[in-house]
Amino acid sequence: MAASAAVVVVTGTVVTATGPHAGDDSAERFDLALPDVARVHGGAVIALVALTLVLLRALWRDGAPAPTTDAARALLLVLVAQAAVGYTQWFTGVPALLVGVHVLGAVAVWVAVVRAVLALRVVPAAVVAPAPPVVAPALVTSP
C-alpha cells in the first residue's frame, strides 16, 4: 500500500514538474508530454484505489477492529476527493489554484496512507488471566 502511494506521489510530482505551474516563468520544466505523464499518474491512482478497495473488503470479511476499518475508509474518502480535484483541474485547463489544492491533497493522501498502514499493525492487548472470584466472608453468628 505504501509503495503504491509512493508511486502515486512521485508520478504526481512529475506531472506537476511537467505542467505549466512548476515554478515561475524561468523554471525549467520536464521535457515530457503532459498528457502522457498525467495518464501514468492516473493509472497509478487507479491501482491505489483498487488496492484500498481490496483492503476494505478483506477487513470487512475478517471482522477487523473499527479503528482499522475507519482508517481504510478515511483513506478511500481522501483518495476519491483527491481524484475529483485532479480530474477537475485537468478538465478546466489546470488552473493554478487547483494545482495548489491538489498538492495539499497529496499530503492528505500520504497522511491517510500512513494512518491506514499503522492501523494494520495494531498489536492486540495482552491476554490477562481472569482474577479469581472474590468470595465474601461468611456471616458468622454466635448463639
Side-chain angles (χ1 to χ4, degrees), residues 35-49:
D36 293 342
V37 292
R39 194 172 304 110
V40 170
H41 175 59
V45 169
I46 290 169
L48 180 57
V49 170

Side-chain angles (χ1 to χ4, degrees), residues 11-23 29 34 37 89 99 102-103:
T11 58
T13 302
V14 172
V15 172
T16 301
T18 303
H21 304 296
R29 273 121 178 113
L34 186 58
V37 292
Q89 75 178 17
V99 172
H102 200 59
V103 170

Side-chain angles (χ1 to χ4, degrees), residues 115-142:
R115 284 189 64 232
V117 169
L118 291 177
L120 292 172
R121 299 177 184 270
V122 172
V123 179
V127 177
V128 179
V134 177
V135 179
L139 187 56
V140 179
T141 55
S142 323

Side-chain angles (χ1 to χ4, degrees), residues 14-141:
V14 172
V15 172
T16 301
T18 303
H21 304 296
D24 63 13
D25 291 335
S26 64
E28 290 186 39
R29 273 121 178 113
F30 288 167
D31 189 22
L32 301 169
L34 186 58
D36 293 342
V37 292
R39 194 172 304 110
V40 170
H41 175 59
V45 169
I46 290 169
L48 180 57
V49 170
L51 280 173
T52 303
L53 290 171
V54 168
L55 172 64
L56 279 165
R57 172 68 173 107
L59 293 174
W60 175 78
R61 180 194 65 219
D62 295 342
T68 304
T69 56
D70 290 349
R73 281 189 205 124
L75 172 58
L76 182 61
L77 180 68
V78 170
L79 287 172
V80 168
Q82 179 70 335
V85 172
Y87 278 106
T88 301
Q89 75 178 17
W90 182 256
F91 290 114
T92 58
V94 195
L97 178 63
L98 283 182
V99 172
V101 170
H102 200 59
V103 170
L104 181 62
V107 174
V109 166
W110 191 252
V111 168
V113 167
V114 169
R115 284 189 64 232
V117 169
L118 291 177
L120 292 172
R121 299 177 184 270
V122 172
V123 179
V127 177
V128 179
V134 177
V135 179
L139 187 56
V140 179
T141 55

